[in-house]
Amino acid sequence: MRFSLSIAMNPLGQLAGLAQAAEEAGFSSVVLPDSLFYSEKVSADYPYTPDGSRFWDEETPWVDPLVATASMGAVTERIRFYTSVLKLGSRNPVLLARQVNSVAALTGGRFGLGLGIGWSPEEFEWCGAPYERRGKRFDEAIEVLRLILDGGMVEYHGEFFDFDKLRMSPTPPSRVPFYIGGHTEVALRRAARVADGWSSAMMTLDQLRETIGRLKTLLAEQGRAGDPFEYQAVCVDRFGLDGFREQAEAGVTDAITMPWVFEGLGFGAELGPKIDAIRKFGDEVIAKIEE
């Protein structure tokens, strides 16, 4: 079982220090969230809270995850970075491929691309992307990204995206893994079909156990039962060494966490106490999880 540090909604000036501390403490990855903007009004509910409300406000800091990866990658050596999840529905995949190519090259291949469609109609419409038929457009966008990132001279002629032969250089030093986010049956089927892993939002252990079981069934149906596949999870009701062992038994391969929360610290806390919490977590959980 691996551990990933979530840096969501933390002050931007702390990100480099958090990434360095996570690397020293034995974390495998840093997880980067994505939010394009805070609209005063939204015409859809946020899907991962009981009442559909957003748990952040217009003052909450969100940095572009690819820019943040380049920044943190420059001050670390081994730790990986992945988005959980980047909203692909409102983005052009050709332009995004250029950015992913660049950040994968700059970090020496230490980057994975977690993808979701996006839930806010305003993010689609105000970025010039149609909200209608977003699922099929998302599937095409994934195909475009995979095609370009795998390198060589390529072309694509689809319903939503169309281009003649092109090549982006440099090619990433290693294959960029794709992870799919989402809890719906459609999202799970998509992950089993095209992804290297699945990334959860906030879920209970029972929900994770059920969802991972479903994903394993879907992978088998795709002839992928023996393929490597990551289960990245934000579990909301199992913590501490025993709790993370329960997550591992449920099938979680990568636990996403914020150790300072266990110490009663908020997002706006000073960097020093957060680093202390990361080190404590490394000593008390990461170093002992496989004993």
Side-chain angles (χ1 to χ4, degrees):
M1 187 180 191
R2 297 180 300 276
F3 292 87
S4 291
L5 181 76
S6 173
I7 51 87
M9 299 183 286
N10 282 273
L12 305 191
Q14 296 183 358
L15 300 188
L18 292 174
Q20 290 172 322
E23 183 171 75
E24 293 169 2
F27 281 81
S28 67
S29 304
V30 170
V31 182
L32 301 109
D34 181 40
S35 181
L36 291 172
F37 51 75
Y38 186 94
S39 57
E40 185 176 22
K41 297 180 180 179
V42 288
S43 51
D45 288 341
Y46 180 66
Y48 302 116
T49 55
D51 62 357
S53 64
R54 295 170 284 183
F55 56 87
W56 63 96
D57 60 29
E58 66 271 21
E59 300 294 334
T60 303
W62 295 89
V63 66
D64 181 280
L66 299 177
V67 173
T69 295
S71 175
M72 290 184 285
V75 297
T76 55
E77 296 179 358
R78 301 176 303 279
I79 200 164
R80 296 178 64 248
F81 304 89
Y82 64 86
T83 54
S84 181
V85 287
L86 185 139
K87 298 174 182 179
L88 179 57
S90 51
R91 287 177 165 89
N92 180 289
V94 179
L95 293 175
L96 180 60
R98 170 72 286 167
Q99 295 172 299
V100 173
N101 247 337
S102 299
V103 78
L106 288 170
T107 59
R110 293 183 286 141
F111 184 72
L113 188 60
L115 296 168
I117 294 180
W119 62 275
S120 168
E122 284 74 19
E123 283 193 341
F124 284 79
E125 294 164 8
W126 298 351
C127 290
Y131 189 66
E132 296 75 18
R133 304 191 67 208
R134 57 194 178 277
K136 290 189 176 298
R137 186 174 183 273
F138 182 71
D139 287 334
E140 270 201 18
I142 292 174
E143 291 178 358
V144 169
L145 282 169
R146 184 82 279 161
L147 184 69
I148 295 175
L149 292 174
D150 282 349
M153 189 68 69
V154 298
E155 61 183 303
Y156 188 88
H157 304 286
E159 179 180 355
F160 301 95
F161 305 103
D162 191 297
F163 54 85
D164 292 329
K165 289 185 177 180
L166 60 81
R167 178 175 181 174
M168 287 188 184
S169 183
T171 301
S174 56
R175 183 178 182 271
V176 176
F178 284 9
Y179 313 122
I180 297 295
H183 299 174
T184 65
E185 177 71 9
V186 172
L188 300 182
R189 287 184 175 277
R190 182 179 286 118
R193 188 174 67 250
V194 304
D196 302 285
W198 168 78
S199 190
S200 85
M202 298 166 288
M203 301 181 83
T204 65
L205 183 66
D206 287 343
Q207 290 171 330
L208 283 167
R209 187 179 286 112
E210 180 181 356
T211 303
I212 290 171
R214 178 59 179 156
L215 278 162
K216 289 181 177 179
T217 297
L218 294 171
L219 285 164
E221 291 175 359
Q222 294 290 327
R224 301 183 60 199
D227 291 354
F229 195 85
E230 294 187 36
Y231 299 95
Q232 303 161 348
V234 180
C235 184
V236 298
D237 63 351
R238 293 295 191 280
F239 312 108
L241 181 59
D242 290 340
F244 285 107
R245 282 175 173 159
E246 285 188 86
Q247 291 188 42
E249 290 169 0
V252 174
T253 61
D254 194 331
I256 302 171
T257 187
M258 288 183 177
W260 50 87
V261 173
F262 307 134
E263 305 301 317
L265 301 173
F267 298 116
E270 295 295 324
L271 177 60
K274 290 181 181 177
I275 289 177
D276 290 341
I278 290 171
R279 290 171 176 164
K280 180 180 178 182
F281 188 88
D283 291 338
E284 296 183 356
V285 177
I286 297 177
K288 298 180 179 179
I289 190 70
E290 293 184 355
E291 291 181 359

